[in-house]
Amino acid sequence: MSKSTLPNKASYRFIYSLFVIMVVFHAISFAHNYGRKDFQKDLLLNIRKTIDKGISKAEIQQKLVYVLQIYHTQEKESIVETAREIMPENFSGDGIYITELEIREADKPGEKTDDNMNHFYTIDEQQDEIRVYAVSDIALGENPNYKNYDGQTGRFEIMFVLNKEEVDYEILN
């Protein structure tokens, strides 16, 4: 559109001003949406961390509380032996804790769940204590430089401890 096709200069200025306003509005809108992208990403990662924490507590802590209950009601000698007796399928020989979800997945070939958590355990026979670590592949922890149990850096990590007195958990990152 040129000045010669419009009836007067005022019409040209009006249309040109509308065009400039539209371009500025779109630029501001783009900048705003681009800024919200980081906010939404952080929000989704926090939601994922909450989900990972809840699933880990439901999956691991519940099982460890059951072991503690059996240990006390049946007056067993060792909490470690009680755990090995009750949940042998959860403890692989290489320090990897196998969750119930992974056990069910192995029973149904072809079905793949989206767990995105790595689980490990350590057993201290002398202190009669088991520690189970859960490290997220997705959710970020508070410290981006934290070295996770599985070698990752800065990921959400939670540790569960089973001993004769209690089942406890601690968020390590």
Side-chain angles (χ1 to χ4, degrees):
M1 186 170 294
S2 69
K3 290 182 186 179
S4 62
T5 59
L6 294 174
N8 58 30
K9 240 181 180 180
S11 298
Y12 175 76
R13 285 186 183 150
F14 177 74
I15 290 175
Y16 185 75
S17 298
L18 279 177
F19 177 74
V20 168
I21 289 171
M22 282 179 27
V23 168
V24 168
F25 173 76
H26 283 289
I28 291 171
S29 176
F30 173 79
H32 174 73
N33 288 338
Y34 189 79
R36 295 226 0 116
K37 156 188 84 70
D38 292 331
F39 169 76
Q40 289 175 344
K41 177 184 171 192
D42 292 341
L43 181 63
L44 288 173
L45 286 172
N46 281 333
I47 290 169
R48 180 60 189 232
K49 184 192 307 186
T50 302
I51 290 170
D52 286 346
K53 178 183 172 187
I55 289 172
S56 293
K57 285 179 71 177
E59 177 84 21
I60 299 167
Q61 189 177 25
Q62 182 180 6
K63 191 90 172 190
L64 297 178
V65 167
Y66 178 70
V67 170
L68 185 64
Q69 176 189 3
I70 296 298
Y71 170 78
H72 283 294
T73 57
Q74 295 183 5
E75 298 177 5
K76 300 273 188 175
E77 299 241 351
S78 163
I79 196 83
V80 170
E81 288 306 314
T82 306
R84 284 183 176 147
E85 186 179 299
I86 292 174
M87 43 194 267
E89 66 278 354
N90 297 100
F91 299 111
S92 71
D94 55 1
I96 295 175
Y97 180 86
I98 302 167
T99 63
E100 296 298 319
L101 188 62
E102 293 166 325
I103 292 169
R104 284 192 300 269
E105 183 180 294
D107 290 340
K108 297 178 182 176
E111 284 188 28
K112 179 74 176 135
T113 58
D114 188 20
D115 185 14
N116 294 322
M117 291 286 286
N118 302 314
H119 301 90
F120 307 93
Y121 71 91
T122 59
I123 295 177
D124 187 339
E125 299 272 354
Q126 292 183 337
Q127 287 188 341
D128 201 22
E129 182 176 271
I130 297 174
R131 292 175 184 254
V132 179
Y133 300 87
V135 182
S136 176
D137 283 338
I138 297 174
L140 302 175
E142 297 299 320
N143 180 357
N145 298 319
Y146 178 81
K147 187 76 169 173
N148 293 103
Y149 189 86
D150 65 348
Q152 295 186 76
T153 303
R155 299 296 178 189
F156 173 71
E157 181 173 339
I158 187 169
M159 174 185 65
F160 297 90
V161 179
L162 168 65
N163 56 39
K164 292 179 180 183
E165 289 82 36
E166 66 182 347
V167 174
D168 197 11
Y169 75 92
E170 179 182 353
I171 296 177
L172 301 176
N173 190 33

